[in-house]
Amino acid sequence: MGIRTGAQYLGKLNAMHPHVVIDGEVVSEKIAEHPAFRNVARSYAKLFDMQHDPEHQAALTYTSPTTGDLVNASFLVPRTQEDLVRRRAAISTWAESTHGFLGRTGDYMNSSLTALSTAEKWFAQADPKYGENIRKYYEWARENDVLATHTLIPPQVNRSVSGSEQLGGQLSARIIEEREDGIVIHGARMLATIAPIADELLVFPSTVLRGTPEDAPYSYAFAIPNDAPGLRYLCRTSLYNGGSTHDEPLASRYEEMDAVAVFDHVFVPNERIFMLGHPELCNGFYAETGAGALMTHQVVTRTIAKSEFFLGLASELAASIGIDGFPHIQEDLAELIVDVEVGKALIRASEADASLNEAGVMLPKWSTLNAARNWYPKVAQRFPQIIRKFCASGLMALPGEADVNSGAREDIELYLQGKTLTGPERVRLFKLAFDASISGFSGRQSLYEYFFFGDPVRMAGAMVNAYDREPVRARIREFLAQED
């Protein structure tokens, strides 16, 4: 089959029967037509269509090694530095088209599956069948252009204890039965972004297991269809309020839903199990297989596009009301320029210093990517702050599209014009600024980026503990030992 069209994606989505709870309503059919999901599903459909567009097809696809069909380039196993650059070009194409606001485009989990498919030797430490299962699943996902999401962590009930200890171990999703043909899962997991509009749910290790026998029921990796029997999604309220692309330019396009995944005696067949037990291996699921490196390579590429969006938006705002010559405004614009260029430098450095792992996969340098994923969540918090500073009370003096097209237009033309824009043009630009900096959508985006890889404090500690600081410490000791 190879690459899908947007219509094929939407058709498949509408043919599925998931159990989705949102605002007291159970939605189980025609998900892509529901008001909370319709627009974002169509944004994803456009990404699928881009694969067929002659302008983008060369960047987004490559030829399948098994079928000869065109498949998405995020499934390309990188064997050379050129392959990494090729993957980044594909990721950038999608990221730039959505300005980095879609955090769960298919290339994210595709990157994980691509690395995992090559790690058969690592999986063999538990059982060779797991490596074979993940390889076959990767090939199936590649040839069917699957959109997958994932869920990682236990519910936040009592964080002073591990997930396996919450309510006597009865809350977190766990294995409650092992059968000859598969396993049965019961409990809950957070947080499944885009779950209602995905084809598949990947349930991967949380990587914070203690490695004790008590953790075995919580140690697993598997994949299930989005409408697997017994699987329920509890969604938050949508941050899209039903406005037009004029009034909610970002939320109306990119409002990715987040959901808690509830497993009510969900059966997982053997062929879809990639790890069972072995908490010590689950803790190394991303780091030791290369999955973490390729996933982070995708994320850093996406966040560069997002940084460029905020630089562009801030620049347009500054010019529109004539503040671009003020030193304190230029200082903020310079900060955004630095953020864009640092992101670009880090991604290219990770590729330039890439190396082959034991499986012959060319992986970007982890310490560089790790620096990027620790750096970006913090600097990204400044983006909406800068937009709010540039706009100030202009964000609160915003009539809607209906007002622009009413008898009030004359007042809008006169009193809300900018230095370089008409009144209606300025209103439209500031509506975008509002949705990027002060709306519920923007608040969720800030939270999402800040905790994308987990608790920043824990991440910092992990980076310090893993980074080889001995060479630079030795230089200090050598300096101190020198005599004049």
Side-chain angles (χ1 to χ4, degrees):
M1 175 181 166
I3 52 174
R4 289 192 289 178
T5 65
Q8 288 173 318
Y9 160 68
L10 294 173
K12 168 75 180 304
L13 193 58
N14 280 331
M16 299 179 76
H17 295 281
H19 186 110
V20 178
V21 180
I22 181 166
D23 294 331
E25 175 188 6
V26 176
V27 185
S28 60
E29 59 183 15
K30 295 190 178 299
I31 283 287
E33 309 309 317
H34 189 278
F37 314 119
R38 186 183 188 282
N39 289 5
V40 70
R42 278 152 181 78
S43 292
Y44 272 83
K46 289 179 181 178
L47 299 181
F48 284 105
D49 281 336
M50 286 178 68
Q51 300 177 123
H52 298 268
D53 186 339
E55 180 182 353
H56 303 296
Q57 189 171 83
L60 285 172
T61 66
Y62 78 109
T63 302
S64 166
T66 56
T67 65
D69 294 332
L70 289 179
V71 293
N72 191 274
S74 57
F75 287 112
L76 174 67
V77 177
R79 302 295 184 183
T80 65
Q81 290 178 332
E82 289 74 20
D83 288 340
L84 285 175
V85 173
R86 173 89 182 275
R87 287 177 54 85
R88 173 162 53 86
I91 295 164
S92 293
T93 300
W94 270 358
E96 290 175 7
S97 75
T98 59
H99 307 289
F101 281 99
L102 292 182
R104 283 294 186 270
T105 49
D107 45 14
Y108 179 61
M109 293 314 300
N110 293 354
S111 297
S112 173
L113 291 173
T114 298
L116 292 170
S117 73
T118 68
E120 292 191 50
K121 184 177 179 180
W122 182 85
F123 282 101
Q125 296 176 89
D127 194 316
K129 67 183 181 183
Y130 298 139
E132 182 180 357
N133 284 353
I134 193 71
R135 178 181 55 78
K136 288 181 177 179
Y137 183 84
Y138 152 79
E139 292 175 353
W140 172 80
R142 181 188 69 198
E143 300 305 322
N144 290 277
D145 207 9
V146 167
L147 175 61
T149 189
H150 72 156
T151 180
L152 286 177
I153 62 175
Q156 290 183 343
V157 176
N158 179 4
R159 300 190 70 185
S160 66
V161 298
S162 69
S164 61
E165 295 176 300
Q166 294 188 30
L167 199 65
Q170 301 303 300
L171 290 179
S172 186
R174 63 200 182 282
I175 303 165
I176 62 169
E177 183 181 358
E178 293 188 38
R179 302 174 5 188
E180 288 188 4
D181 56 346
I183 58 175
V184 177
I185 302 291
H186 191 76
R189 271 285 193 98
M190 295 169 54
L191 186 66
T193 299
I194 74 156
I197 64 165
D199 298 306
E200 291 273 315
L201 178 66
L202 304 180
V203 187
F204 283 172
S206 65
T207 70
V208 292
L209 299 165
R210 297 167 302 171
T212 64
E214 291 76 19
D215 278 336
Y218 308 89
S219 306
Y220 45 68
F222 59 84
I224 53 176
N226 204 33
D227 57 355
L231 176 62
R232 300 193 297 269
Y233 292 122
L234 303 179
C235 298
R236 59 168 170 77
T237 296
S238 177
L239 298 171
Y240 168 53
N241 299 305
S244 66
T245 56
H246 178 287
D247 289 340
E248 296 183 80
L250 296 175
S252 65
R253 295 175 170 95
Y254 307 132
E255 214 299 65
E256 293 180 308
M257 182 56 65
D258 304 300
V260 175
V262 177
F263 301 83
D264 187 357
H265 296 81
V266 174
F267 173 69
V268 184
N270 283 331
E271 64 270 16
R272 280 174 162 258
I273 299 172
F274 313 131
M275 182 62 68
L276 200 59
H278 301 279
E280 73 289 349
L281 290 179
C282 286
N283 285 336
F285 191 80
Y286 299 99
E288 296 172 14
T289 62
L294 289 191
M295 293 169 76
T296 307
H297 186 251
Q298 186 273 346
V299 174
V300 176
T301 302
R302 175 186 65 79
T303 56
I304 291 170
K306 198 169 190 179
S307 301
E308 290 175 327
F309 169 88
F310 277 96
L311 172 60
L313 176 59
S315 300
E316 283 293 297
L317 290 166
S320 74
I321 54 176
I323 61 174
D324 47 340
F326 299 167
H328 67 291
I329 296 299
Q330 292 183 341
E331 181 183 33
D332 288 339
L333 290 172
E335 179 182 337
L336 293 172
I337 291 170
V338 169
D339 292 338
V340 168
E341 292 302 319
V342 168
K344 290 179 178 179
L346 287 170
I347 198 73
R348 293 187 64 183
S350 76
E351 295 166 356
D353 295 334
S355 59
L356 292 170
N357 68 3
E358 291 184 359
V361 180
M362 184 65 72
L363 294 177
K365 188 174 182 180
W366 175 244
S367 60
T368 305
L369 290 178
N370 201 17
R373 74 176 192 147
N374 275 267
W375 163 78
Y376 178 82
K378 297 178 178 65
V379 301
Q381 302 306 303
R382 283 278 295 146
F383 297 168
Q385 294 173 11
I386 290 172
I387 300 303
R388 291 194 295 268
K389 175 181 176 180
F390 282 23
C391 297
S393 59
L395 290 175
M396 295 180 284
L398 280 178
E401 183 179 22
D403 301 305
V404 172
N405 296 320
S406 73
R409 187 181 181 93
E410 186 175 341
D411 284 340
I412 292 170
E413 289 276 12
L414 178 60
Y415 298 113
L416 294 182
Q417 63 183 292
K419 177 185 177 182
T420 62
L421 300 176
T422 67
E425 289 171 340
R426 181 177 177 274
V427 166
R428 187 168 191 127
L429 175 62
F430 273 61
K431 281 288 189 180
L432 178 58
F434 184 98
D435 219 9
S437 68
I438 202 171
S439 67
F441 173 86
S442 69
R444 183 264 179 192
Q445 286 283 322
S446 294
L447 185 69
Y448 180 80
E449 298 293 4
Y450 192 71
F451 289 104
F452 189 96
F453 286 107
D455 180 355
V457 175
R458 287 189 177 185
M459 287 172 57
M463 182 169 67
V464 169
N465 292 331
Y467 195 88
D468 183 8
R469 291 172 288 143
E470 179 54 31
V472 292
R473 292 182 63 186
R475 285 162 56 184
I476 299 300
R477 293 193 297 269
E478 289 171 8
F479 177 79
L480 294 172
Q482 290 176 4
E483 297 182 2
D484 293 336

